[in-house]
Amino acid sequence: MTNSMTPDLSVQLGRLKLSNPIMVASGTFGYAREMEKVVDLSLLGGLLPKTITAEPRMGNPPWRTVETSAGLLNAIGLDNDGVDAFIQHHLPYLRQLPTPVVVSIAGRTRDDFVSLAEQIAAQGGAAAIELNLSCPNVSGGIDFGTDADSCRKVVDQVRQSCDLPILAKLTPNVTRIADIAAAAADGGADAVCLINTVLAMAVNWRSRRPILGNGMGGLSGPAIKPIALRCVHQVRQAVDIPIIGIGGIANIDDVMQFLVTGASAVQIGTANYYDPHVSTRLVGELPEVLRDEGVDRISDLIGTLKV
């Protein structure tokens, strides 16, 4: 490949094709409208608005976030206005964006997930559905992501009721994440997203109380990148469907570590809070990396880790 050629950054995630592998993670990018004057949304491979639920949720009591020495601890509690408000107020805007929108949904029951997926699919405008099976700071938030059979069943039922591509976002708070990923694949998921936050807590020793109002929450940021990479590597050995890597990604080396380990795409999360331009900057840096590696397609680098 000559330096004058433009590398092919496109990736295929089952039935979902992206122009490049850089996505922004749910819960870190608002509903995209908040970022439109800061980020050129057309440059993104895909974006995920904040997770929605069937009914409005107030979320957890404060404090909801704590900055740690190597990341962010949060217990937001899926605060959102519910699916009806999302369809009325946010989806019309998201529908006209120049980049694929993946709608993140969370339910208390399988029927909740199915109903939410059906409602979103019926409205049009969504490129895919992400099943949030792994939120660690709401009651029942990880039930479907910690039991392989439950995971397979919810993915299967959503797949049967909705013709959109299905991404299953999994929790690292399990003994064998590869088993859960295999169940998601068996259920018909187009891809798995690895990982959601790691269950953690912060303590005020003087008051003898947890700092988060919920007691525990989810740790994200640089501290969890090694865990996320381990999960991607293990799942890559267990499933044939694509993997989307999440966890502590803030620079181009982070992106490439996930890709060579086996992820076909990545989601940028915590870094959006302190560097809102990070995602589009990474998109711009990818072609040079591919030229330096002498490859003309980013897919040629995916899963090339030597172990």
Side-chain angles (χ1 to χ4, degrees):
M1 185 182 73
T2 64
N3 287 338
S4 62
M5 293 180 64
T6 301
D8 180 6
L9 301 182
S10 65
V11 294
Q12 193 74 40
L13 304 174
R15 294 171 292 164
L16 175 64
K17 184 173 184 178
L18 305 181
S19 61
N20 68 72
I22 306 298
M23 311 171 75
V24 289
S26 174
T28 68
F29 214 69
Y31 293 101
R33 192 193 306 267
E34 300 91 325
M35 305 296 290
E36 66 178 358
K37 294 183 179 180
V38 180
V39 177
D40 183 350
L41 301 177
S42 69
L43 298 178
L44 298 173
L47 65 85
L48 288 90
K50 184 172 176 58
T51 296
I52 59 170
T53 54
E55 302 295 333
R57 287 184 58 93
M58 293 294 292
N60 291 325
W63 291 92
R64 292 183 174 190
T65 60
V66 178
E67 187 173 352
T68 72
S69 57
L72 181 69
L73 186 58
N74 91 84
I76 305 299
L78 297 181
D79 182 356
N80 76 103
D81 293 331
V83 65
D84 291 340
F86 176 80
I87 289 173
Q88 181 177 356
H89 298 296
H90 299 296
L91 193 54
Y93 168 79
L94 294 166
R95 188 185 289 123
Q96 53 82 42
L97 291 179
T99 193
V101 174
V102 179
V103 178
S104 174
I105 63 174
R108 293 183 180 276
T109 66
R110 288 200 297 270
D111 288 344
D112 278 352
F113 279 102
V114 169
S115 176
L116 285 164
E118 288 177 339
Q119 290 179 73
I120 296 302
Q123 295 296 319
I129 297 289
E130 181 184 75
L131 306 180
N132 185 348
L133 307 173
S134 48
C135 182
N137 52 63
V138 296
S139 176
I142 61 172
D143 289 353
F144 296 103
T146 56
D147 179 81
D149 188 54
S150 294
C151 179
R152 180 187 59 79
K153 287 178 179 177
V154 71
V155 172
D156 177 60
Q157 289 190 18
V158 173
R159 178 69 185 259
Q160 291 186 41
S161 63
C162 169
D163 59 4
L164 292 174
I166 305 298
L167 316 179
K169 188 172 185 178
L170 304 183
T171 176
N173 303 307
V174 293
T175 303
R176 285 179 50 84
I177 194 169
D179 293 344
I180 311 299
D186 289 343
D190 289 84
V192 288
C193 305
L194 311 174
I195 53 177
N196 209 324
T197 55
V198 177
L199 189 63
M201 69 184 300
V203 170
N204 182 329
W205 72 268
R206 294 186 183 278
S207 66
R208 276 60 164 183
R209 298 184 63 85
I211 297 176
L212 291 175
N214 195 54
M216 291 184 288
L219 180 65
S220 62
I224 74 165
K225 190 182 76 169
I227 299 172
L229 286 169
R230 181 264 298 174
C231 290
V232 169
H233 173 64
Q234 291 178 322
V235 170
R236 174 79 176 187
Q237 316 307 308
V239 305
D240 294 327
I241 62 173
I243 298 168
I244 301 170
I246 316 168
I249 300 169
N251 58 53
I252 194 65
D253 288 328
D254 296 333
V255 173
M256 300 312 299
Q257 288 168 20
F258 274 91
L259 295 182
V260 301
T261 302
S264 296
V266 297
Q267 292 181 15
I268 313 302
T270 300
N272 289 318
Y273 292 126
Y274 60 84
D275 183 3
H277 300 283
V278 60
S279 54
T280 51
R281 185 176 66 251
L282 292 173
V283 174
E285 292 175 356
L286 279 172
E288 182 178 356
V289 173
L290 267 62
R291 293 189 189 99
D292 289 346
E293 291 297 312
V295 298
D296 55 9
R297 295 183 304 272
I298 200 161
S299 57
D300 292 338
L301 292 174
I302 293 170
T304 55
L305 185 70
K306 300 174 183 178
V307 292

